Amino acid sequence: MLHMHNLSRHTAFFVLIPVFLVMCLQACVELAKSVGEMRTETELLPQCWEQINHQYEERRLLVAQSCGELAVYVRPEIRDSLILSIVQQLVEDAATVVREAATHNLALLLPMFPNLDKYYKVEELMFQLVCDPSGAVVEVALKELVPAVVRWGDKLDQISRVLLAHILASAQRCPPISGVEGTIDSHLRVLGEQERWNIGVLLRMLTELLPFIHQKAIQTCPFASADPTSSTPENFSASCLKSYA
């Protein structure tokens, strides 16, 4: 009976943790609304920074969840500097739940960045999170962060090139089946566990990009008429058809 009572107490404790975090997050947002940009930047955000290495993951999780919410209440230049730095620290966190929250909030942050100055840093973080060892983090990265980066940066060609380079690099790091030069087996690779995981998630990323690639192809196709939806041959000029022949 005593054992069951203790079990119930522990269960209640773990159920209350998410509720408590939500309440804290709501309180932080309300405080930011009340005190304004300057005090949020000078008082609230430094408190967040101090918590990113806290021993309890609940504290770090709260910071990860608050980044996207608090960004609305600070100046644009703070969003891609201090807040992005906080997110960068949290995507390295040992706890999966913290990295997952940081990934989600990075996707929320991007439309609020004032410019593309930090594009390549964000792109690097995106590929890091896509190849995260946790499936939960990968899922958020593929479904939320990748589309957000594509829409924000508008650099689909760049992402596609880097993606293919990562896939090839992952395969080329693996040893060949045969060490005999000139044989077919010397061109085939033995994929290790890490490389198999990386190539798998990168190929999934490629499939997530296909709708964007399709849309870009339609938008950039040199139609002769103003109606690119028509399938009649008159939409293509003779020179266009020759270039694609």
Side-chain angles (χ1 to χ4, degrees), residues 1-12:
M1 186 71 178
L2 180 61
H3 174 72
M4 291 298 294
H5 178 67
N6 289 336
L7 183 61
S8 298
R9 289 177 60 188
H10 285 300
T11 303

Side-chain angles (χ1 to χ4, degrees), residues 4 11 15 19-20 24 34 42 45 53 102 104 114 139 169 183 224:
M4 291 298 294
T11 303
V15 168
V19 177
F20 176 72
C24 287
S34 301
T42 58
L45 287 183
N53 291 315
H104 170 70
E139 200 65 28
T183 63

Side-chain angles (χ1 to χ4, degrees), residues 36-80:
E37 287 182 352
M38 191 56 64
R39 291 189 63 187
T40 299
E41 295 169 10
T42 58
E43 298 178 23
L44 193 53
L45 287 183
Q47 290 294 323
C48 291
W49 180 266
E50 290 179 4
Q51 302 299 317
I52 59 178
N53 291 315
H54 198 278
Q55 62 175 322
Y56 295 118
E57 72 176 45
E58 290 80 13
R59 294 279 190 95
R60 307 194 304 273
L61 176 59
L62 179 60
V63 175
Q65 291 174 332
S66 66
C67 288
E69 300 286 344
L70 294 179
V72 181
Y73 306 104
V74 299
R75 290 172 296 163
E77 57 267 29
I78 298 297
R79 296 168 189 164
D80 66 351

Side-chain angles (χ1 to χ4, degrees), residues 63-98:
V63 175
Q65 291 174 332
S66 66
C67 288
E69 300 286 344
L70 294 179
V72 181
Y73 306 104
V74 299
R75 290 172 296 163
E77 57 267 29
I78 298 297
R79 296 168 189 164
D80 66 351
S81 55
L82 179 56
I83 294 184
L84 180 58
S85 296
I86 292 173
V87 173
Q88 281 183 249
Q89 295 290 323
L90 293 171
V91 298
E92 304 284 352
D93 200 276
T96 296
V97 67
V98 176

